[in-house]
Amino acid sequence: MHDTLLRVSGINAGTEDKPILHDIDLAVGAGETHVLMGPNGAGKSTLGRVIMGDPAYQVNSGTIEFGGEDITDEAADKRSLAGIFLSYQAPVEVPGVPLYSYLRTITQKRPELKMTARKFRARVGEIADQLDMSGSFLTRELNVGFSGGEKKKIEMLQLLLLRPKLAILDETDSGLDVDALSVVSRGIEAYRADCGGALLVITHNTRILERLSVDRTHVMVQGRLVAEGPASLIDDIDAHGFEQFERANASGGDRA
Amino acid sequence: MAESASGTLVLERVNTPPAQTWNHLRANDITLTVPVVSRKGDVYFALPRLFESIECGMGGAVTDWIESQASDARYVEVRAGEKREEPIIAESDTGIMVRAGAEATIVVCAPTGGPAQGTTAALVRIIAERGAQVHVLEFVCGDTEQHLESVGIVAGEDARVDVRQFFLGAGTTAAGLAVALDGNRARLDLSCRYLARDNDVLDINHVIRQRGRNTRCDVHESGVLDGHARKALRATIDLVHGSSGSEGAELENVLVLSDDVTNKTMPVILCDEDDVAGNHGASIGSVAPEQIQYLQDRGLTLEEAEQLYVRALFDEALICAPTSETRKAVLARATEILGSETASDLVEGLDLAEKSGPFATTEV
Ligand SMILES: Nc1ncnc2c1ncn2[C@@H]1O[C@H](COP(=O)(O)OP(=O)(O)O)[C@@H](O)[C@H]1O
Ligand SMILES: [Mg+2]
């Protein structure tokens, strides 16, 4: 049995005037791969943000533990340094900050990753090659003017550079063409192979899961986790969609 | 211009934009007090007449004053078709003729030497003939009390001009740039990055005259303001009658890190032609919350996230700095602002940039 890396217990959260997440319990063991599925608007991204510590969302009750520490009240930067990484569904454009300056700064912030500029450049070069990215990206402003696929690659580049213990990938695969999808899949595989980190993959698309061995699947409907099961649950959802869970949730039925 | 008794001169209406619609902001121009040394009896070498008619960004009073104070004007000519590798270093009063089809890099680097240096100034006039390519790099990283930098450029048919300005210095910096896109299809790319903090004063005037047909200009100013800094930017794109098919765009992003900052931006698009397009966009304020959140999610505190914008200015300036003198100036200022650890990190990065091109990824 693995150590529990992330433990979300009884979380109720939302924006100031709108409850979004209800009674969320979720445990992810070190090195495990979990999948979170659910219809649009279910609250999947919100859960990712709440785990990351986005102050746009209020946690009204419940706790989040990471590596045995209660991080419910920690700021996002602390959680990041502790080893949580959230890959954005829509990465934010940051004009005025070249990718190079940014990557260097977030890397130097971590004692375990501190390295000379030379080593750093070599490492970034390696990852860029792995992700079929041109080095010229580095002098461009962070995420500004990049295509959707390129932005996701930049997220993967950071994932591989920062080597977190837990990576939450929020629809990293959505809107990608076949080539970009295979590059991103390779990135995720490399993360598993090199860092042995845990994954919480939020997705609609089973393709990205083909090359991953999934430990647990969770289904979210209307802000509640309504079902949890083995990898085979994904095939079930693929074949039958979310209606069964939505019906069960609407009738207030038993939450499996 | 009014002469005072004590060897100083008051220059009024400096950095005036073509259209003065901003009276309510009281920022139509700046008044500067500068020292004067009598040059009576000196033989002064003047530039060829052709340069006299070039409009310079800070206006006539500054041109007259610098001409009266410079010991000599310097004239540089790049021959037709020549691709000049070595940058031309432009100092106090320089005229540069880049002949047809030639290419040249021109560097203006403000002197350093501490506030004791008082006032420093540069006047640079450039003619880019047909098909010429001109790269202009301006670095103001000094710590003199006051620096004036006035630049005028005329671009002929198919000439391509790019200007990169880095205004990162302490004290008062007043800079004006006027570019006349006279020839058809002439093109300007202007990037201006600035930092003003403490009690710095930064006064910028950008005037782009699009006269030729199908000319293009792309102007992007962006910077960081902190402390009690006072900044005024006047940016004018003048789509002159006859410039049909021309397009001009201007965009400014300002990051304001303190409540005590004074930030004035006065963008104007003048348009006396139907078949043209002028665009202005601006985003002013603090970093958007989602940007800060993104940076915090990757491990930076709010202050570190804000400092990243400042570091980025120096990273970029250093990458662009083509001579050891400009690099030294940028680094000295970076050390002062970011501390020696970050500054030496910048140097390490630069070292690699020199060896293998800005960001080669194929490293061993
Ligand atoms: N910052 C916010 N402000 C207001 N409503 C929000 C905010 N974030 C999410 N929501 C709402 O919460 C619900 C869940 O959204 P989200 O977590 O993005 O769902 P999913 O990722 O599963 O598609 C939606 O109804 C959405 O509109
Ligand atoms: Mg979502």
Side-chain angles (χ1 to χ4, degrees):
Chain A
M1 193 60 203
H2 289 285
D3 296 339
T4 301
L5 178 66
L6 173 76
R7 185 182 295 282
V8 175
S9 316
I11 283 286
N12 284 277
T15 60
E16 214 169 303
D17 37 42
K18 184 184 174 190
I20 300 173
L21 300 177
H22 310 279
D23 304 324
I24 302 291
D25 291 314
L26 176 74
V28 177
E32 288 180 356
T33 297
H34 289 232
V35 172
L36 175 59
M37 300 184 106
N40 271 330
K44 304 180 297 296
S45 291
T46 302
L47 179 58
R49 301 234 168 202
V50 166
I51 295 171
M52 193 70 238
D54 187 336
Y57 301 98
Q58 279 180 8
V59 174
N60 300 314
S61 63
T63 57
I64 303 170
E65 284 169 65
F66 187 72
E69 306 271 330
D70 186 338
I71 57 161
T72 319
D73 298 321
E74 290 279 22
D77 57 296
K78 296 265 172 44
R79 300 187 195 200
S80 169
L81 296 183
I84 305 179
F85 180 92
L86 169 66
S87 169
Y88 277 46
Q89 184 170 353
V92 178
E93 301 197 355
V94 187
V97 176
L99 185 56
Y100 174 78
S101 312
Y102 166 71
L103 293 176
R104 181 69 178 146
T105 303
I106 61 173
T107 309
Q108 285 301 89
K109 185 71 201 290
R110 293 155 209 265
E112 75 280 11
L113 293 179
K114 259 196 161 192
M115 58 183 112
T116 64
R118 172 177 291 275
K119 281 221 181 84
F120 171 74
R121 294 279 287 270
R123 178 72 191 122
V124 170
E126 243 171 55
I127 301 173
D129 284 349
Q130 238 173 336
L131 297 173
D132 280 346
M133 292 170 76
S134 130
S136 66
F137 278 12
L138 289 166
T139 47
R140 288 174 52 185
E141 293 173 301
L142 175 54
N143 291 330
V144 178
F146 287 101
S147 72
E150 288 169 336
K151 286 180 186 171
K152 297 296 174 76
K153 285 188 188 180
I154 292 171
E155 295 289 276
M156 291 301 102
L157 173 63
Q158 294 172 65
L159 171 69
L160 294 174
L161 195 59
L162 297 182
R163 310 174 63 83
K165 295 189 183 106
L166 169 69
I168 304 166
L169 307 183
D170 191 357
E171 300 206 22
T172 296
D173 51 348
S174 66
L176 298 188
D177 61 30
V178 182
D179 289 343
L181 190 62
S182 91
V183 168
V184 164
S185 302
R186 260 189 281 144
I188 297 169
E189 267 185 291
Y191 165 69
R192 292 283 302 128
D194 302 350
C195 315
L199 276 172
L200 177 59
V201 184
I202 301 171
T203 186
H204 288 293
N205 190 335
T206 52
R207 271 194 84 134
I208 195 157
L209 305 172
E210 277 165 15
R211 289 147 99 171
L212 289 171
S213 111
V214 174
D215 296 296
R216 288 309 269 175
T217 304
H218 310 264
V219 180
M220 183 180 274
V221 171
Q222 290 181 358
R224 296 177 190 278
L225 287 176
V226 295
E228 181 179 337
S232 58
L233 184 55
I234 297 165
D235 303 322
D236 186 25
I237 292 167
D238 224 16
H240 304 107
F242 294 112
E243 285 87 39
Q244 45 176 330
F245 306 107
E246 285 171 319
R247 266 198 310 275
N249 188 55
S251 66
D254 220 26
R255 280 163 204 135
Chain B
M1 242 195 262
E3 209 130 354
S4 79
S6 62
T8 60
L9 184 68
V10 177
L11 302 174
E12 280 165 354
R13 299 177 43 72
V14 169
N15 267 354
T16 314
Q20 293 162 53
T21 49
W22 307 96
N23 255 324
H24 60 289
L25 288 175
R26 290 201 277 149
N28 270 332
D29 52 50
I30 186 170
T31 299
L32 298 167
T33 303
V34 294
V36 275
V37 180
S38 171
R39 295 272 179 211
K40 270 201 195 87
D42 283 6
V43 183
Y44 171 76
F45 171 80
L47 292 177
R49 293 292 292 267
L50 203 50
F51 286 89
E52 277 171 24
S53 59
I54 297 178
E55 177 184 17
C56 292
M58 293 188 78
V62 170
T63 301
D64 291 346
W65 170 69
I66 295 180
E67 281 184 340
S68 79
Q69 297 300 300
S71 48
D72 253 334
R74 178 165 164 250
Y75 174 71
V76 181
E77 183 168 331
V78 183
R79 275 167 306 155
E82 180 185 349
K83 188 176 184 323
R84 190 182 157 130
E85 300 283 345
E86 189 195 335
I88 298 164
I89 314 297
E91 274 154 354
S92 53
D93 182 5
T94 305
I96 299 157
M97 171 68 80
V98 184
R99 293 290 184 193
E103 180 171 0
T105 299
I106 296 158
V107 180
V108 194
C109 184
T112 53
Q117 274 286 95
T119 300
T120 54
L123 173 66
V124 182
R125 284 169 279 192
I126 300 163
I127 298 173
E129 285 192 342
R130 182 167 40 81
Q133 287 188 52
V134 178
H135 318 286
V136 181
L137 294 155
E138 297 180 60
F139 297 90
V140 181
C141 306
D143 45 5
T144 59
E145 203 173 296
Q146 163 171 272
H147 181 73
L148 285 68
E149 188 149 310
S150 193
V151 179
I153 303 173
V154 177
E157 208 170 274
D158 292 305
R160 297 196 57 147
V161 177
D162 56 78
V163 180
R164 307 192 71 142
Q165 303 180 312
F166 295 95
F167 299 139
L168 310 172
T172 295
T173 301
L177 168 72
V179 181
L181 300 175
D182 284 354
N184 295 340
R185 296 173 303 278
R187 176 178 184 125
L188 168 72
D189 289 282
L190 166 59
S191 137
C192 171
R193 312 277 332 248
Y194 57 79
L195 170 68
R197 55 210 280 281
D198 299 339
N199 290 303
D200 296 344
V201 174
L202 179 60
D203 196 276
I204 304 169
N205 191 33
H206 287 152
V207 181
I208 322 301
R209 312 268 190 192
Q210 295 186 250
R211 294 200 178 92
R213 279 196 256 153
N214 300 311
T215 62
R216 293 279 176 280
C217 95
D218 223 310
V219 178
H220 187 188
E221 296 103 349
S222 72
V224 180
L225 301 175
D226 200 356
H228 288 80
R230 280 171 291 154
K231 182 222 88 178
L233 166 68
R234 298 168 209 94
T236 307
I237 292 175
D238 183 4
L239 291 151
V240 180
H241 187 74
S243 64
S244 62
S246 290
E247 287 172 21
E250 193 250 348
L251 171 71
E252 188 193 19
N253 305 104
V254 197
L255 171 56
V256 178
L257 299 182
S258 140
D259 291 340
D260 301 318
V261 156
T262 308
N263 175 40
K264 291 176 180 170
T265 299
M266 292 142 281
V268 176
I269 291 185
L270 301 170
C271 194
D272 187 23
E273 177 64 54
D274 296 332
D275 175 28
V276 293
N279 277 303
H280 169 76
S283 78
I284 300 167
S286 42
V287 192
E290 64 269 21
Q291 292 170 2
I292 286 290
Q293 192 55 44
Y294 185 78
L295 300 174
Q296 287 186 313
D297 280 5
R298 302 294 149 89
L300 304 185
T301 64
L302 178 62
E303 282 95 72
E304 287 165 341
E306 290 176 348
Q307 277 308 299
L308 177 57
Y309 286 82
V310 178
R311 179 204 161 122
L313 290 173
F314 285 96
D315 260 327
E316 199 182 325
L318 212 51
I319 288 165
C320 293
T323 63
S324 65
E325 189 156 328
T326 46
R327 281 194 288 268
K328 241 188 262 164
V330 173
L331 266 176
R333 186 74 177 136
T335 308
E336 205 176 311
I337 290 170
L338 302 168
S340 50
E341 192 186 334
T342 307
S344 57
D345 194 53
L346 300 178
V347 190
E348 261 192 277
L350 178 75
D351 181 45
L352 286 161
E354 270 182 350
K355 286 193 190 108
S356 45
F359 287 98
T361 58
T362 49
E363 240 161 49
V364 276

